[in-house]
Amino acid sequence: MYAWSDSDSINLVCLKKWHETPDTVSFELGSIPQDLHFNFKPGQFITLGLDMPTKTDYRAYSIASCPEDNRLKLTVKRVEGGLVSNFIVDELDEGDEVAVLKPAGGFNCIDCTPTTSNKVTLVSAGCCITPVMAMVKYWLSQDSGVEIDFIHMARNKRETIYFEELHQLDETYSNFNLKLLLKDNQGTTAPQGRLDNNWLVSLSPDILDRTVYLCGPVGFMQDIESYLKELEFNMDNFYQESFTPATQNAQSEEPQTEIADNENSVVKVFVPTFGKEVEAEAGTPLADSLEQAGVPIITACRSGICGSCKCKVTKGSVESSSQETLTAEEIEQGYVLACSSTIQSDIEVEL
Ligand code: FES
């Protein structure tokens, strides 16, 4: 079993690649010739380092396979303007090597075990199906007896990732109940309805007795969370993860007054260790400015989840929307996640 250290990365080979949907590919990474198994918790993600034409870029992707498999399966969707995702979809070939960093992420079924009973409801949409699919495979392969209601939303059959696999699981396991909701209603396996709390109950009638795991685009997740609250669901039994870019999260929230006050003002970002200084508009994501300065920062998830962009602000102020992987001590010392922090004044940063 291969276990990464914190700073370690391993080069793995793309052993197989195929299309799941017209704009989504899956691929399997493995080791040659050792045939290693990999130590991770179902639901976690890994960070890939890919040699792009000008530099190595890093991105985090959820693992869709189980720890018992000797290959890591990842599923990646084409994203408008997405440099790395689109490179994987278009350019990554079988036989190519990829650097793989340590798996991470608290949204997994080992740290987030079903809390009340052995019943769970998994809710996902689009390509955010991958971490919950890993959890499903783990529970089913372990013969855990976990009773799974699996609610997934997609546009249509053609664009449903793992369509055949989901139906196979539904036919094979009596404790796996698929509620596939397709917008065009062709091949759907659950009652269509208006997305609200009643609809949620119609899909998973004893949802109040279950543990809920949610992964999807930010608006979808906000809706589901608010319906659960309307149902007076015990939120101690609720786990979620979103890979929506932090800047997009920030846009969906109330604008910060400080940003509004500083609007159009130009601030300076100074990184003394590298002797670099750049200018940016107040409110710019810190990660963007550091990348523009050309300092070596890894922004693997850009969602405030993976912690790869951690840096220390020693002077000036930023506004942070996520401190997910930081300890109280690190926050006290001035550490921030660059992808989830916007610049509010002239600042000095240590990497
Ligand atoms: S890039 Fe993952 S937390 Fe910032």
Side-chain angles (χ1 to χ4, degrees):
M1 183 75 78
Y2 185 80
W4 285 259
S5 69
D6 274 348
S7 55
D8 204 8
S9 81
I10 182 174
N11 277 1
L12 299 179
V13 179
C14 175
L15 297 170
K16 192 176 168 195
K17 180 184 173 187
W18 66 97
H19 270 270
E20 293 284 356
T21 74
D23 62 359
T24 308
V25 297
S26 284
F27 57 102
E28 292 175 342
L29 298 173
S31 58
I32 298 177
Q34 303 102 313
D35 196 20
L36 292 170
H37 284 64
F38 303 97
N39 194 9
F40 66 91
K41 299 171 182 172
Q44 288 193 307
F45 55 83
I46 46 170
T47 298
L48 304 184
L50 287 126
D51 289 328
M52 307 292 290
T54 53
K55 63 180 171 75
T56 302
D57 261 310
Y58 293 86
R59 288 292 182 277
Y61 296 103
S62 295
I63 305 166
S65 48
C66 265
E68 299 87 68
D69 303 338
N70 58 353
R71 295 179 177 193
L72 291 171
K73 178 181 169 186
L74 305 176
T75 299
V76 176
K77 185 175 184 193
R78 183 184 299 285
V79 180
E80 199 182 328
L83 205 62
V84 178
S85 295
N86 295 352
F87 176 84
I88 289 173
V89 172
D90 296 328
E91 309 285 342
L92 182 75
D93 283 329
E94 293 174 6
D96 288 352
E97 280 202 356
V98 180
V100 181
L101 279 65
K102 188 180 177 182
F107 183 71
N108 66 74
C109 62
I110 306 298
D111 296 327
C112 308
T113 48
T115 38
T116 45
S117 60
N118 232 13
K119 294 181 187 173
V120 300
T121 300
L122 309 184
V123 187
S124 60
C127 66
C128 298
I129 192 173
T130 45
V132 286
M133 193 65 170
M135 294 182 193
V136 164
K137 285 183 188 166
Y138 177 78
W139 281 319
L140 295 178
S141 72
Q142 298 294 305
D143 218 3
S144 61
V146 173
E147 200 182 292
I148 305 164
D149 278 354
F150 192 93
I151 301 170
H152 180 68
M153 293 186 79
R155 272 204 197 100
N156 51 47
K157 176 181 174 184
R158 193 163 167 263
E159 293 177 75
T160 303
I161 296 168
Y162 313 143
F163 183 87
E164 301 296 343
E165 200 177 351
L166 286 170
H167 281 276
Q168 261 175 22
L169 292 174
D170 195 34
E171 281 162 24
T172 309
Y173 295 94
S174 58
N175 55 329
F176 179 80
N177 305 306
L178 177 63
K179 319 277 176 163
L180 182 59
L181 294 143
L182 303 179
K183 285 199 177 137
D184 70 353
N185 215 6
Q186 304 290 311
T188 200
T189 65
Q192 293 286 1
R194 190 172 163 273
L195 186 58
D196 62 13
N197 47 9
N198 292 326
W199 171 84
L200 210 49
V201 172
S202 75
L203 294 175
S204 186
D206 55 354
I207 195 165
L208 295 180
D209 300 328
R210 290 171 175 261
T211 303
V212 172
Y213 299 76
L214 173 65
C215 190
V218 65
F220 173 76
M221 292 180 63
Q222 283 167 349
D223 287 347
I224 298 291
E225 190 177 345
S226 72
Y227 302 145
L228 288 171
K229 285 179 179 163
E230 280 170 34
L231 290 167
E232 298 186 358
F233 182 82
N234 180 355
M235 298 310 276
D236 290 343
N237 306 330
F238 173 71
Y239 301 107
Q240 64 175 323
E241 179 174 76
S242 172
F243 267 88
T244 304
T247 44
Q248 212 167 306
N249 279 331
Q251 280 163 13
S252 67
E253 289 164 6
E254 290 295 310
Q256 304 290 337
T257 41
E258 281 182 76
I259 296 175
D261 291 346
N262 289 338
E263 211 168 287
N264 300 326
S265 68
V266 173
V267 293
K268 286 183 183 146
V269 180
F270 181 43
V271 192
T273 325
F274 295 91
K276 301 277 189 184
E277 182 173 291
V278 286
E279 290 189 340
E281 274 188 21
T284 300
L286 177 56
D288 290 0
S289 290
L290 294 175
E291 283 174 344
Q292 189 200 337
V295 298
I297 182 163
I298 296 178
T299 51
C301 73
R302 287 192 171 265
S303 305
I305 293 173
C306 75
S308 68
C309 64
K310 181 173 86 173
C311 57
K312 189 174 179 181
V313 175
T314 52
K315 281 185 192 162
S317 65
V318 297
E319 189 79 46
S320 294
S321 59
S322 169
Q323 300 176 316
E324 183 117 346
T325 61
L326 302 175
T327 63
E329 198 181 352
E330 286 174 328
I331 294 166
E332 179 71 22
Q333 290 169 355
Y335 282 97
V336 300
L337 298 176
C339 70
S340 308
S341 301
T342 52
I343 308 162
Q344 303 296 316
S345 67
D346 290 350
I347 58 169
E348 211 169 282
V349 182
E350 257 178 33
L351 289 184

